[in-house]
Amino acid sequence: MAARDAKLQAERNRYEIRLKDLTWDTLLAETMFARRSPSPPFPPSGFVDAVRGRFRDAILEMNGMASKPSKQDVHRVLRALVDQINVLDEAYGHAVETEEREDLCEALAELAFVAHRPALMDEVNKWWSW
């Protein structure tokens, strides 16, 4: 019971601190995966840069959609993004480990949230191979 309450409180805090006012412009202005700058020995900086570029492309694409894009459009963009990260992960010798996975999932959840489609995260979590 205490663990569940703590998790709910953490989710409320995250909403109030981060998600409540999050916009596409905010995401574009930030350096994604900032704790990876400079890239530690692992993952390689090329991987981090490539992932940042793929996220930026996805943000720009979704930002150009309606204020509440269709589920199908968001699904398509998120699926393409995850597929690209899967390819990059493979190309860089499985660069995604626990911390990277957590960062990626959080960033994907933020995209789904800003697109008004947070429920898509249930599907997104089935697509990644890392």
Side-chain angles (χ1 to χ4, degrees):
M1 183 79 157
R4 185 177 61 94
D5 290 344
K7 183 178 177 183
L8 288 173
Q9 185 59 45
E11 289 174 11
R12 276 188 229 113
N13 289 345
R14 177 162 163 68
Y15 175 79
E16 285 298 321
I17 293 168
R18 172 78 177 152
L19 298 178
K20 183 177 156 188
D21 298 317
L22 193 62
T23 66
W24 298 123
D25 290 336
T26 304
L27 289 172
L28 286 169
E30 296 175 345
T31 299
M32 296 201 81
F33 315 113
R35 68 182 180 147
R36 303 281 174 227
S37 293
S39 181
F42 198 77
S45 61
F47 173 81
V48 175
D49 292 343
V51 168
R52 281 183 182 135
R54 298 313 187 283
F55 266 91
R56 181 171 177 75
D57 292 346
I59 292 166
L60 288 169
E61 185 173 352
M62 286 195 275
N63 188 27
M65 296 177 182
S67 60
K68 184 176 181 183
S70 73
K71 181 180 177 182
Q72 294 81 9
D73 285 343
V74 176
H75 181 281
R76 178 184 48 77
V77 173
L78 291 177
R79 180 64 195 241
L81 177 57
V82 171
D83 288 347
Q84 293 166 357
I85 296 168
N86 287 340
V87 169
L88 288 168
D89 182 50
E90 181 74 26
Y92 280 89
H94 301 287
V96 178
E97 293 184 353
T98 303
E99 289 182 5
E100 293 81 14
R101 184 176 305 105
E102 290 169 357
D103 289 349
L104 289 167
C105 288
E106 184 175 300
L108 288 163
E110 288 180 353
L111 296 187
F113 181 85
V114 175
H116 304 284
R117 301 294 177 187
L120 281 175
M121 283 308 295
D122 291 337
E123 292 181 55
V124 170
N125 290 328
K126 297 174 188 173
W127 302 332
W128 46 268
S129 61
W130 22 270

